[in-house]
């Protein structure tokens, strides 16, 4: 069979028209090992061959334009025993093809929640089975071509000459066809919470050196390093996105740009010894993905990340519900209240410190009176849940201290009556949302996780916001290393046993794993609303980067952009730098984010008192849906603007959101996505003429008009402005 | 009050006779801060003062001989936040004395098991409360003087200026009074399983460089480094032992010898960043201990290590029982059988590999038929328990591969019927002993530990042998670092919840923690019988070193010293090096070890067929007790010989054991420990004239005589020989 396949492809090759990119071949192609694969609609072409060194080489074209030029694949590994004393082994060269297998799939599956209720999974597949001539070690590479994207993974089959081994380096390349414009954040083992940089590929190093943002845990490994998902606009007008899918039992992949070869090289996240991953055959790596299209919207519409993940492991998903929530949180972020209960002590010891004997600081937010007030407000306005942070003992010295036993996730502060508050919330139709800040002490969290989840079950908590602030314990492990990747999955998998939904902050960027664990309803893993302001175009980039892997708990809905004004004693001081929680958008932009930043978990992050100042704008947050039948990407340009329309799941309501970048702009909303035989009432929440994110962000207007599928309207957005539209059928 | 105490001690000082050691003072003593403390019988004298730099200095005398010359105390620390960017802080100098408090105690407590049924805890205590003049950081040092020993620990009280912090270096010194003879093993973060070296202190480096022993996990940090407990014989005839007690939430202490100052300096076990310990006040370090006496037996008789540990945390200890056991184990150690079930695969994946589809290798020892044969034998000969290793899936590639999910501690191999075998054992009066080899994958073990212990409860296992072979996962952690110390306690503490006894191999050396957790009935933590032979005097040193901290599962009772002879196909080959499980003692020595090496958990480690060859010698193993009312250290000289008599708990039976070193020797047994009004039958198991550990180890004779408290007999022991005596009242 192998021989026949080879023959077919030799014939195919001969009939192939020559294209420009082949002129850039680094190596002579041996005709008898060139393999080709096309996507179902033939838009995407993959070529694969072994070069003269026996190294696997691939390249990718889209409509005959080069997306990835000839790029190498493979690994440097070590045998696992006595690994400190021995040399590395090459698993990159000297391969021969043992067999090639083809497959194709066209199916539709229904996610538990998502941007659309049905997802098509349609690809052509090529599995290349390789063996090294000298060592007889075997490596398979599985390629899948979708109409809008490309993915491949390495598979180490069960074999005699490779059992347990160490990945010293993954040598995956993505050779670029020009000096594209990229939207990127620096490669970092411990944080993703950066503003995005827009630059030419060749400028990455320079911009990286200039980029001074700091975080409590960070490790930037190279001035040429960037994180995925990496968004690019190519020199010949293509939109290209590189990411990974199904990051499980492996370390997260970064990219390091080589300016000489104009090639991105994979850079995994190491452990304390610099080892990248520990593997044992049979086992696979995550998928490496490239999405490509002629318009930016094509990137947003791709479903490759979910399609390359395994179906849900959870059989009964009836308990997994999109959730709109408020929180006892923003007042701590903005410095008006504290997570901790007392200022008496510089350090506490869980199960030893007697809190009842200490003086309350009177700024502890998670107290019975206040929580009940929040419950009342959330209930009155139709929310599902209320997050309460700072409910449990230990916050006095929790922060980034490499303190192992930092929390027990069990013991409430003396002024937080866990039973009473949960009963009160239940009576009001609100579910309290649990908070598990680990402070990076992973062993401690895993030791307590069963008891912590049990406590949630006991009191009726349905979801948990988990946090991984600060440096990881054990020492030398990184937020995005294999050890931590494995932990995040462990916490989510175990939560499913308790029917608990998880929203993990500071965890590794998502890679579509929520398909397999749909209780994983949220992640932060990027710069959210809580910072001292972000670049004006931040939210026009997030959907092209961070959101490619899954939903983000961005915590939008900030109506008071200057958090100092929340304080009763506020007096303006123009010399003061931006306070934590400062927001650099208009209020209308904040509303648009509920549609622009897809998440089944959406927060109204601001204080109740600020919502009461703008009840008409608050109405949009109350109205907007969380789960969708259909999403239409109306207009989008990374870094500039984005407008998305979404149809509420099981309803004829639509919601439109827009976020605008640095420049004032007229957005055009074409309502052709509506049913042609219906009329609708559209309520438009928009910037006013005098809106200004810095000086007058709360200037907005609300307009109600009738629309049909023939309607087309122009909405002017100011810099960092935006709009939101609710559309209800008449 | 402070002033008065100072005054008293100034007067005391003036009345003190000057002694030679003070002439060696490195620093001028400020009279008004010199503090003195004596042991209850006044044998031991402690001096304490602050030197001109404000550094705490102590010295220790025994009967006016210097044991520890003036030695410094203190720490180098770092504030815990932003610790990578900041300088270290001195917690060693600039102290002033805030207060001095004295206390005394004389009590008797009853251990759950032990070398004696009542332990006296009698000490004088001095608590020195210090504060740094500049930083206002506070440090207390608590000294306790017993009649045979000395201990102190550092205490960090709750305070404003010190919360969470990092110990960068502990600066504890033990300045020696001469070039003593020491019995030591190299300082190592990951193994203790070395032969002991006997040398002058000044020769440590030279001998260390010459010492080539290897282990699967090892990290020797310095050629001047040694481990504790460190045994010494001083130039002026004292026996001195340095160790630590109550090693909890801290890293294990090694000693590094400085040949210029003739001083041992503490060297803790670091983590991946080189940090020694993470602390948060209020908290204490372990105790640092010095035992001293005029005879070697005084070292063996000291109970300071247990006395400095906290009383039992376990209230109901009725389920903790000394245990005599056999094992399906020695046949794997000696290469006749395998822990693993199949040779089909070079690697397996727990919960993915289908063992039922694989070919059994027919060398897997833990199979139903064989285990039942062992149960029958153990039952017939009155044992309590049978260890079965290799019962659970995963052994095919378990060894030192940094494989995280290496075992699940749940799933038996297809040929091990866990339910049937436990029922069969129960019917025969035998309890199966569980085996949890972690392969160093700590997170994996902790994730499964509750289920693993639950499984034990379900099937009636009462005790577990746990193992920590190979390098630790997570990367960069060490067997004796704080992370692992915390794990060992966690595993023992949790086992108590399940009424499970723990015998941990490759764990950190014990420090008397079994007083607090009496279910911790055993440790290996030294070179046991399983090696390819040991030095001839190995077991004459162990009681002075490793056993100072607690019992050892040495696995004695090997009757066939050449394990190759166990194989049916054995043909002698004189060129062959020693096989694993080779034993370099006589058979009579092996019997003596049941008394010499104290443990409430004793194994008859050899194969049943070898016991059947020597049933009369086997009788001693069957007779010997495991728990004692009293222990009498008859004769002892580290490295040369040791003879111990012990009275069985709640009985008038006595057992005597002897182990001999390199030289043929006549041991004198004086029976004056017996009741003076009784006669006894003593059965003596001894070397014969022609016994030779290498060529004729199985030559022994058994003699039965009548003895009284007036009896005194001479027993000749050959090199690496020994004897055992059972003494039953008539």
């Amino acid at each position: 069979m192998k021989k026949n396949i080879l023959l077919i492809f030799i014939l195919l090759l001969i009939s192939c028209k020559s294209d420009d990119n082949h002129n850039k071949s680094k190596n002579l192609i041996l005709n008898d090992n060139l393999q080709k694969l096309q996507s179902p609609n033939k838009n995407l072409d993959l070529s694969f061959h072994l070069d003269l060194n026996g190294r696997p080489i691939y390249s990718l074209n889209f409509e005959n334009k080069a997306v990835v030029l000839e790029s190498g694949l493979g690994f440097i590994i070590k045998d696992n025993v006595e690994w400190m004393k021995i040399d590395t082994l090459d698993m990159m060269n000297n391969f021969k093809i043992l067999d090639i297998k083809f497959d194709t799939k066209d199916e539709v599956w229904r996610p538990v929640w998502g941007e659309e209720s049905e997802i098509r999974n349609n690809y052509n597949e090529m599995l290349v089975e390789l063996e090294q001539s000298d060592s007889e070690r075997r490596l398979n590479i599985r390629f899948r071509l979708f109409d809008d994207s490309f993915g491949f993974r390495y598979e180490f089959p069960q074999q005699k000459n490779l059992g347990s081994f160490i990945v010293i380096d993954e040598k995956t390349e993505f050779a670029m066809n020009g000096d594209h414009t990229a939207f990127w954040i620096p490669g970092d083992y411990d944080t993703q919470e950066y503003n995005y940089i827009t630059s030419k590929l060749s400028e990455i190093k320079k911009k990286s050196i200039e980029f001074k943002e700091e975080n409590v845990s960070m490790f930037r490994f190279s001035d040429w390093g960037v994180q995925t998902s990496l968004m690019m606009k190519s020199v010949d007008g293509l939109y290209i996105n590189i990411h990974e899918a199904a990051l499980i039992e492996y370390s997260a992949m970064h990219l390091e740009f080589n300016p000489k070869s104009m090639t991105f090289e994979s850079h995994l996240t190491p452990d304390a010894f610099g080892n990248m991953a520990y593997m044992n055959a049979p086992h696979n790596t995550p998928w490496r993905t490239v999405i490509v299209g002629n318009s930016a919207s094509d990137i947003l519409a791709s479903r490759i990340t979910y399609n390359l993940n395994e179906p849900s492991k959870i059989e009964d998903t009836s308990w997994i519900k999109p959730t709109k929530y408020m929180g006892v949180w923003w007042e701590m972020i903005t410095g008006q209240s504290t997570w901790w209960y007392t200022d008496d002590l510089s350090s506490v010891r869980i199960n030893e410190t007697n809190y009842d004997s200490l003086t309350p600081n009177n700024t502890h937010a998670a107290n019975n009176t206040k929580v009940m007030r929040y419950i009342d407000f959330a209930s009155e306005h139709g929310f599902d849940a209320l997050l309460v942070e700072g409910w449990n003992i230990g916050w006095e010295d929790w922060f980034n201290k490499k303190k192992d036993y930092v929390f027990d996730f069990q013991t409430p502060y003396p002024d937080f009556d866990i039973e009473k508050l949960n009963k009160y919330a239940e009576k009001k139709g609100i579910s309290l949302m649990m908070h598990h800040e680990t402070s990076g002490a992973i062993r401690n969290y895993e030791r307590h996780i069963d008891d912590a989840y049990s406590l949630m079950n006991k009191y009726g908590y349905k979801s948990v916001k988990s946090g991984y602030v600060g440096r990881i314990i054990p020492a030398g492990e990184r937020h995005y290393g294999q050890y931590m990747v494995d932990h995040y999955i462990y916490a989510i998998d175990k939560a499913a046993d308790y029917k608990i939904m998880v929203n993990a902050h500071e965890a590794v960027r998502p890679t579509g794993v929520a398909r397999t664990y749909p209780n994983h309803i949220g992640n932060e893993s990027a710069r959210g609303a809580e910072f001292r302001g972000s670049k004006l175009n931040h939210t026009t980039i997030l959907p092209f980067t961070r959101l490619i892997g899954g939903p983000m708990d961005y915590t939008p809905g900030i109506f008071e952009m200057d958090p100092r004004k929340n304080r009763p004693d506020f007096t303006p001081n123009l010399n003061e730098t931006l306070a934590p929680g400062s927001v650099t958008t208009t209020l209308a932009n904040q509303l648009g984010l509920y549609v622009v930043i897809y998440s089944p978990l959406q927060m109204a992050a601001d204080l109740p008192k600020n919502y009461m100042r703008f009840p008409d704008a608050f109405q949009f947050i109350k109205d907007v849906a969380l789960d969708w039948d259909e999403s239409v990407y109306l207009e989008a340009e990374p870094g500039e603007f984005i407008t998305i329309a979404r149809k509420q799941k099981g309803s004829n309501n639509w919601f439109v959101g827009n976020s605008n970048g640095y420049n004032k702009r007229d957005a055009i909303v074409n309502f052709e996505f509506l049913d042609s035989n219906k009329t609708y009432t559209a309520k438009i929440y928009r910037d006013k003429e005098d809106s200004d994110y810095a000086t007058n962000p709360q200037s907005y207007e609300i307009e109600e008009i009738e629309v049909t599928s023939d309607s087309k309207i122009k909405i002017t957005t100011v810099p960092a402005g935006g709009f939101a539209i609710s559309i209800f059928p008449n």
Side-chain angles (χ1 to χ4, degrees), chain A:
Chain A
M1 178 186 138
K2 193 179 83 182
K3 288 263 168 185
N4 290 342
I5 290 167
L6 284 175
L7 202 66
I8 290 164
F9 279 86
I10 292 165
L11 294 172
L12 263 174
L13 173 70
I14 293 165
S15 68
C16 264
K17 61 173 187 190
S18 156
D19 81 51
D20 286 352
N21 306 310
H22 280 161
N23 298 334
K24 300 193 181 179
S25 295
K26 287 177 282 188
N27 301 290
L28 184 73
I29 293 170
L30 296 176
N31 281 351
D32 67 351
N33 79 35
L34 179 68
Q35 309 295 330
K36 300 213 99 188
L37 184 71
Q38 284 192 315
S39 65
N41 72 354
K42 306 197 193 313
N43 275 357
L44 277 163
D45 277 287
L46 168 74
S47 293
F48 174 87
H49 72 279
L50 296 176
D51 72 11
L52 287 174
N53 296 318
R55 182 173 186 191
I57 304 287
Y58 78 100
S59 60
L60 182 72
N61 283 3
F62 175 76
E63 293 177 352
N64 292 324
K65 289 181 181 171
V67 179
V68 182
L69 299 178
E70 290 197 350
S71 298
L73 299 171
F75 294 88
I76 304 294
I77 68 167
K78 270 192 183 178
D79 186 58
N80 214 333
V81 182
E82 296 304 323
W83 58 271
M84 292 185 99
K85 300 180 184 170
I86 58 174
D87 289 335
T88 55
L89 303 173
D90 173 289
M91 257 196 103
M92 194 161 81
N93 297 299
N94 291 316
F95 281 105
K96 63 185 179 195
I97 294 175
L98 288 186
D99 201 357
I100 309 269
K101 290 169 181 159
F102 293 88
D103 199 1
T104 186
K105 187 163 224 169
D106 192 0
E107 62 172 10
V108 169
W109 58 279
R110 301 178 64 84
V112 177
W113 42 258
E115 294 183 77
E116 53 193 13
S117 54
E118 294 193 335
I119 293 179
R120 185 176 178 193
N121 181 30
N122 180 205
Y123 60 80
N124 289 334
E125 176 179 289
M126 175 167 73
L127 175 66
V128 182
E129 300 187 351
L130 303 169
E131 186 179 274
Q132 279 184 303
S133 305
D134 41 0
S135 69
E136 295 184 359
R137 285 190 295 266
R138 288 178 54 198
L139 171 67
N140 299 341
I141 309 175
R142 189 181 299 270
F143 297 95
R144 285 186 184 165
L145 274 183
F146 300 79
D147 286 338
D148 59 8
S149 54
F150 159 66
F152 64 92
R153 72 177 179 193
Y154 301 96
E155 303 184 353
F156 299 93
Q158 184 101 51
Q159 55 193 295
K160 196 176 148 209
N161 295 321
L162 192 65
S164 289
F165 62 99
I166 299 173
V167 175
I168 300 298
D169 204 359
E170 180 182 321
K171 305 297 277 183
T172 299
E173 296 174 350
F174 302 88
M176 296 294 98
N177 188 31
D179 196 6
H180 306 330
T181 299
F183 304 84
W184 55 277
I185 52 176
D188 195 303
Y189 299 151
D190 280 304
T191 189
Q192 297 141 166
E193 302 192 17
Y194 289 125
N195 272 301
Y196 284 89
I197 300 165
T198 304
S199 81
K200 294 283 174 195
L201 298 178
S202 57
E203 298 171 330
I204 288 173
K205 180 175 179 176
K206 179 173 165 283
K207 296 278 183 185
S208 199
I209 290 169
E210 289 165 11
F211 189 71
K212 299 295 183 197
E213 282 182 17
E214 297 254 330
N215 207 303
V216 292
S217 61
M218 54 185 287
F219 189 98
R220 287 163 63 174
F221 60 86
S222 158
D223 290 332
W224 285 109
V226 300
Q227 300 192 36
T228 72
S229 130
L230 174 70
M231 185 65 203
M232 286 175 284
K233 191 170 175 180
S234 82
V235 288
D236 45 4
L238 292 181
Y239 293 82
I240 301 172
N241 186 291
I242 304 179
H243 193 32
E244 62 180 313
L247 172 57
I248 294 179
E249 293 188 48
Y250 204 72
S251 60
M253 179 181 73
H254 314 263
L255 299 173
E256 189 170 18
F257 191 67
N258 182 332
K260 284 187 189 162
S261 60
M262 296 296 280
T263 295
F264 283 109
E265 293 162 1
S266 56
H267 180 103
L268 303 179
T269 310
D271 71 1
F273 291 136
N275 292 331
M276 295 300 185
Y278 300 90
M279 302 280 279
N280 74 307
H283 200 48
N284 311 325
T285 68
W287 295 87
R288 281 68 184 90
T289 61
V290 181
I291 311 174
V292 57
N294 285 314
S295 80
S297 299
D298 294 343
I299 305 298
L300 303 177
S302 175
R303 300 291 173 253
I304 185 175
T305 316
Y306 284 121
N307 276 329
L308 291 178
N309 276 273
E310 296 298 311
S312 176
K313 283 196 169 183
I314 303 170
E315 287 193 15
D316 168 21
T317 57
S318 60
W319 51 274
I320 300 170
K321 298 224 163 72
T323 300
K324 198 183 289 180
Y325 75 107
M326 296 190 73
V328 181
W329 175 64
W330 194 251
E331 56 181 274
M332 288 91 98
I333 290 290
T334 55
Q336 300 164 76
S337 305
T338 58
W339 282 268
W340 51 95
Y341 171 79
T342 180
D343 299 326
D344 282 358
L345 304 178
S346 61
S347 69
V348 293
R349 293 180 64 82
I350 303 295
N351 297 355
E352 292 177 27
T353 299
N354 176 12
Y355 278 97
D356 289 325
S357 71
L358 301 174
T359 324
N361 59 12
N362 294 323
T363 56
H364 177 232
N367 65 72
N368 295 329
T369 311
K370 181 168 286 185
V371 172
M372 283 194 286
R373 279 212 311 269
Y374 270 92
I375 291 170
D376 291 343
F377 185 89
S379 171
E380 191 184 329
H381 294 281
F383 285 83
D384 303 307
L386 176 73
L387 166 71
V388 185
E389 296 202 358
W391 67 276
N392 57 324
I393 60 168
W395 286 90
E396 283 70 20
D397 63 341
W398 74 283
F399 182 68
N400 210 18
K401 291 194 171 149
K402 293 193 75 63
K403 180 179 173 188
D404 196 351
Y405 193 7
V406 59
F407 293 115
D408 72 356
F409 312 97
Q410 280 289 316
T411 312
Y413 276 125
D415 56 352
F416 184 88
D417 186 331
I418 189 169
E419 183 170 2
K420 179 175 130 183
L421 289 171
N422 276 283
K423 275 190 182 158
Y424 186 79
E426 192 188 355
K427 202 177 68 185
K428 297 274 188 166
I430 293 289
S431 164
L432 291 189
M433 185 180 291
M434 176 50 77
H435 184 231
H436 291 165
E437 174 54 53
T438 66
S439 196
I442 301 313
R443 178 172 68 176
N444 182 57
Y445 187 40
E446 291 200 4
R447 283 181 176 178
H448 292 89
I449 201 165
D450 272 296
D451 286 344
Y453 287 157
S454 294
L455 187 86
M456 290 177 61
N457 282 173
K458 179 177 174 189
Y459 290 113
Y461 290 89
K462 295 173 183 166
S463 58
V464 58
K465 173 180 171 181
S466 56
Y468 297 92
V469 171
R471 294 195 187 83
I472 298 298
I473 307 175
E477 295 296 345
R478 302 292 186 177
H479 280 77
Y480 315 138
Q482 185 180 27
Y483 190 88
M484 287 302 298
V485 165
D486 188 68
H487 165 78
Y488 305 127
I489 300 285
Y490 178 79
I492 294 162
D493 190 30
K494 190 174 273 288
D497 296 341
Y498 292 85
K499 295 195 191 319
I500 286 170
M501 297 180 278
V502 177
N503 166 29
H505 281 227
E506 298 89 24
V508 72
R509 44 194 166 277
T511 56
V513 171
R515 179 182 179 186
T516 311
Y517 301 97
N519 64 321
H520 186 198
I521 51 165
N523 262 130
E524 185 187 38
S525 308
R527 186 181 179 92
E530 74 202 24
F531 276 82
R532 295 163 196 259
S534 291
K535 284 189 179 176
L536 303 192
N537 65 351
H538 188 56
T539 52
T540 69
I541 300 175
L542 279 177
F544 294 100
T545 52
R546 163 62 184 77
L547 296 182
I548 296 296
M552 175 171 179
D553 185 30
Y554 183 78
T555 69
I558 304 303
F559 282 8
E560 179 47 73
M561 284 65 187
D562 184 349
R564 299 171 302 162
K565 292 191 185 161
N566 292 328
R567 296 182 210 155
D569 58 347
F570 169 66
T571 46
N573 175 356
L574 289 177
N575 292 325
E576 199 176 333
T577 55
L578 285 176
S582 293
V583 168
T584 43
T585 75
T586 67
L587 193 152
N589 175 305
Q590 289 290 312
L591 297 181
L593 297 180
Y594 286 88
V595 182
V596 167
I597 298 185
Y598 166 71
S599 179
L601 181 79
Q602 287 285 18
M603 186 177 202
D606 208 343
L607 306 181
K609 69 177 182 184
N610 291 325
Y611 291 129
M612 293 325 293
R613 289 163 62 198
F614 307 100
D616 55 353
F618 189 42
Q619 188 62 43
F620 181 81
I621 299 179
K622 291 158 71 172
D623 288 342
V624 69
L626 300 168
D627 204 11
W628 314 100
D629 273 334
E630 192 184 341
S631 291
V632 184
Y633 306 94
L634 298 177
E635 295 187 313
E637 195 59 44
E640 298 185 27
F641 57 85
I642 186 165
T643 312
I644 301 175
R646 305 191 196 268
K647 178 173 171 292
Q648 183 170 2
K649 202 178 217 173
S651 149
N652 285 314
N653 299 338
W654 284 79
F655 295 87
V656 178
N658 165 280
S659 189
N660 189 38
Y662 282 96
N663 303 311
K664 184 173 178 178
R665 178 175 177 274
D666 290 336
I668 307 295
V669 180
N670 186 332
F671 289 84
E672 63 189 355
F673 53 82
L674 295 175
D675 278 357
S676 54
N677 54 354
K678 290 203 182 75
T679 63
Y680 299 79
T681 300
K683 200 167 165 185
I684 305 169
Y685 304 74
R686 57 196 284 176
D687 297 328
K688 275 170 75 173
E689 194 71 27
D690 64 352
S691 293
D692 185 290
Y693 73 90
T695 59
N696 196 19
Q698 291 155 338
S699 171
Y700 61 89
E701 59 192 349
I702 300 172
E703 187 186 359
E704 214 167 278
I705 58 171
E706 193 163 281
V707 293
T708 70
S709 61
D710 293 329
S711 304
K712 191 186 264 195
I713 61 172
K714 185 183 83 176
I715 304 177
T716 302
T717 56
V718 301
F723 59 83
I725 312 175
S726 60
I727 306 166
F728 302 107
N730 293 334

